[in-house]
Amino acid sequence: MIRLALGRAAAAIPVLWAVATLTFLLLRFLPGGPFDKERSLPPEIMRNLAHRYALDRPVSEQYADYLERVVRGDLGPSYKYLGRDVADIVRDAMPVSLELGGAAFVLSLAGGIALGLAAGARRGSALDQLVTLGSLVGVSAPSFVIGAGLILSFGLALRWLPAGLWEGPAHVILPALTLAALPMAYAAQLTRTQVLEALDQDWVRTARALGVPEGRVRRRHVLRNALLAVMTYSGPLLANLLTGSFVVEHIFAVPGLGRFFVTAVANRDYPLVLGVTLVYAAFVVLANLLVDLAYAWADPRIRIGGGR
């Protein structure tokens, strides 16, 4: 298991380097610059700004300096948030995004697995049809439609929950539900499919023929095999929920990292875009590493193959 973890961690280094390099080159070679909107500034001030942030140096020197600073953990200063380093912005905004993404992750997996198990165990029942229909709606409806519907229903009409901002536990519910809707629907469909396949396997029929209690058959032979597929899906899901809440944060005015990222892209704030992208990439890599380890723990064949 340790060799597998070390191998996956070593493979993450070139991935992060590729993400950092591609992002840097795209930002440098796209038309426009970080201070192009400052049309009222005279050319001399523009030159001073470019010199201050080393934008007048060759791209190769900027790239080498950027990689050197990243290795040292220095993401540089923000162009638009004067006096603030990118690391400070990430440090302040990341807990909010993590709290929202973590709540949505738990909600989507817990809800999706429970609904999928219930629907798969009762194939063709009214509950099965209801879960299937709800899953289709959850997969098809975009998050801004679901968020707007929840705000109108529970925030404005019923006044049960706050419709926006980030001021306490109650403010987490509607954004987390909105963010979790699609992955919960997908997890429910995935779990239901895996349960139906597992129920038709020979080992399940053999266990039943040997008189093993139905509850034990489902826990030991159906649930475990069904969860393997969901476990594989949970890695990208966790990374996506922790880093992909841009629209939800904007709808509910949540002061998370996604809002800073959108603003940074609009303002061509190179260090902030690069820093946030690199942090997001690191989360994706870490989430996939955790899933690989969990998958190896659940399936010894992967652990043995990874140790070779």
Side-chain angles (χ1 to χ4, degrees):
M1 184 71 79
I2 295 177
R3 291 179 62 185
L4 177 64
L6 292 177
R8 295 290 191 274
I13 295 176
V15 173
L16 294 177
W17 170 79
V19 170
T21 300
L22 287 175
T23 309
F24 178 89
L25 294 177
L26 284 174
L27 287 174
R28 288 300 187 276
F29 289 109
L30 284 176
F35 306 109
D36 287 355
K37 292 183 179 178
E38 311 295 341
R39 298 183 183 280
S40 59
L41 295 178
E44 183 178 355
I45 294 180
M46 294 292 287
R47 285 194 295 272
N48 290 335
L49 286 172
H51 181 71
R52 176 181 178 185
Y53 294 109
L55 296 174
D56 55 350
R57 295 165 58 188
V59 175
S60 59
E61 292 184 13
Q62 295 181 42
Y63 174 67
D65 179 65
Y66 167 67
L67 285 185
E68 180 185 353
R69 286 190 287 104
V70 167
V71 171
R72 288 189 282 107
D74 180 11
L75 299 178
S78 169
Y79 293 167
K80 294 299 177 182
Y81 299 96
L82 299 180
R84 299 190 69 185
D85 289 336
V86 172
D88 296 332
I89 296 174
V90 172
R91 193 180 302 116
D92 293 340
M94 181 57 76
V96 176
S97 294
L98 290 180
E99 186 176 353
L100 174 58
F105 178 74
V106 173
L107 190 61
S108 59
L109 278 191
I113 292 174
L115 292 173
L117 288 174
R122 299 170 179 79
R123 184 189 310 189
S125 66
L127 176 63
D128 184 21
Q129 296 176 5
L130 183 62
V131 171
T132 302
L133 178 62
S135 299
L136 288 176
V137 173
V139 170
S140 306
S143 58
F144 62 86
V145 173
I146 296 176
L150 291 176
I151 290 175
L152 289 173
S153 302
F154 298 100
L156 301 179
L158 299 175
R159 296 183 180 276
W160 288 353
L161 294 167
L165 301 179
W166 195 259
E167 298 175 352
H171 292 75
V172 182
I173 298 175
L174 291 186
L177 281 173
T178 304
L179 193 58
L182 190 150
M184 183 190 297
Y186 186 77
Q189 289 183 338
L190 187 61
T191 305
R192 176 184 178 275
T193 302
Q194 295 299 316
V195 168
L196 293 179
E197 290 183 358
L199 287 173
D200 292 334
Q201 297 300 317
D202 291 338
W203 62 75
V204 174
R205 286 195 289 267
T206 302
R208 286 173 171 167
L210 292 174
V212 179
E214 184 64 21
R216 187 176 178 183
V217 170
R218 293 188 177 185
R219 284 195 305 273
R220 297 197 59 177
H221 301 287
V222 176
L223 178 61
R224 184 165 184 169
N225 287 281
L227 290 183
L228 284 177
V230 181
M231 195 181 297
T232 305
Y233 169 63
S234 64
L237 170 63
L238 176 61
N240 184 53
L241 290 178
L242 292 179
T243 61
S245 56
F246 300 159
V247 175
V248 175
E249 289 183 5
H250 183 73
I251 292 174
F252 291 93
V254 176
L257 198 55
R259 200 170 68 172
F260 279 100
F261 183 77
V262 173
T263 305
V265 171
N267 292 325
R268 296 292 181 86
D269 191 343
Y270 292 161
L272 187 53
V273 173
L274 287 166
V276 174
T277 303
L278 203 55
V279 170
Y280 283 172
F283 266 108
V284 173
V285 170
L286 178 61
N288 282 286
L289 172 62
L290 294 177
V291 170
D292 285 344
L293 295 178
Y295 208 85
W297 171 80
D299 190 343
R301 293 171 298 178
I302 297 176
R303 186 163 61 246
I304 294 173
R308 288 177 181 172

